[in-house]
Amino acid sequence: MPLLLHDALVLFFIWLLAAAAWHKLRHPVYYRERLRSYLPALSVPVTLIAGLEIGLAAALAAFPLRQAAFLFTALLLAVYLLAMLRQLLKGDADSRCGCAGPESDLRISPVLIGRNGVLVLLAMAGTVPVVDMAAGIGFYFNAVLIGLFLIGVYLCTEQLMLNAQRFRESWG
């Protein structure tokens, strides 16, 4: 994988993991309830999951740890995906996903599961060996721009899913 794309993925996933941890640390009671609805038998403290997300974000920032961090990020996202899929299959599609904190009304849906599948694939792409290339100020500027673009696409996708959900609720 070209270093430029790799670094853009690093920035995107650092943002994603840090935002997820921030939501969990700000609203532990909400996320404890979300965890119980996803996996009732699992009793993991929300702060432990937030710590894992922060640890993965930090590992992504450390070049020697990036491939392993991408792999574990993909595994964590796959667990989230499977928990949502379980909810959907048991008929609990009206449940909030918890993806963007308690302020978000985004519900579990096939589209959301598809989005999380794309996130798993992007994290797996980060495990591909990096092709070394010369890096200058323009390189880092471009990596940041691409990373910001990925964040923008993620946020737009989330808003589109929410808009579609509201449209379905309004029009049946």
Side-chain angles (χ1 to χ4, degrees):
M1 165 179 290
L3 183 60
L4 179 67
L5 295 178
H6 182 56
D7 284 356
L9 284 175
V10 166
L11 293 173
F12 171 72
F13 279 106
I14 287 173
W15 169 81
L16 184 70
L17 291 163
W22 173 249
H23 287 304
K24 287 175 185 70
L25 292 173
R26 284 189 61 213
H27 307 285
V29 173
Y30 171 79
Y31 280 98
R32 186 172 45 246
E33 294 305 314
R34 292 283 10 104
L35 282 173
R36 281 190 189 134
S37 73
Y38 281 131
L39 302 166
L42 185 65
S43 180
V44 177
V46 171
T47 52
L48 182 65
I49 296 171
L52 173 63
E53 291 168 339
I54 291 168
L56 287 171
L60 284 169
F63 188 76
L65 303 174
R66 283 187 183 163
Q67 285 186 314
F70 270 121
L71 178 63
F72 285 107
T73 298
L75 290 172
L76 179 64
L77 292 170
V79 168
Y80 292 163
L81 181 150
L82 291 172
M84 286 184 215
L85 182 60
R86 179 183 174 274
Q87 290 289 98
L88 190 65
L89 292 175
K90 74 176 198 175
D92 199 6
D94 286 334
S95 177
R96 288 183 176 185
C97 71
C99 302
E103 297 87 14
S104 174
D105 196 33
L106 191 59
R107 309 291 174 150
I108 295 173
S109 69
V111 174
L112 181 67
I113 291 169
R115 191 260 337 243
N116 281 19
V118 170
L119 291 175
V120 171
L121 292 175
L122 284 174
M124 287 304 297
T127 66
V128 173
V130 175
V131 176
D132 200 17
M133 57 190 273
I137 190 75
F139 168 86
Y140 293 110
F141 181 74
N142 287 333
V144 168
L145 282 180
I146 295 169
L148 290 173
F149 177 76
L150 291 172
I151 292 168
V153 168
Y154 178 90
L155 293 172
C156 287
T157 302
E158 193 162 277
Q159 187 61 51
L160 285 170
M161 288 186 294
L162 187 56
N163 291 349
Q165 172 187 304
R166 287 180 179 154
F167 182 77
R168 280 190 308 273
E169 290 169 357
S170 297
W171 294 91

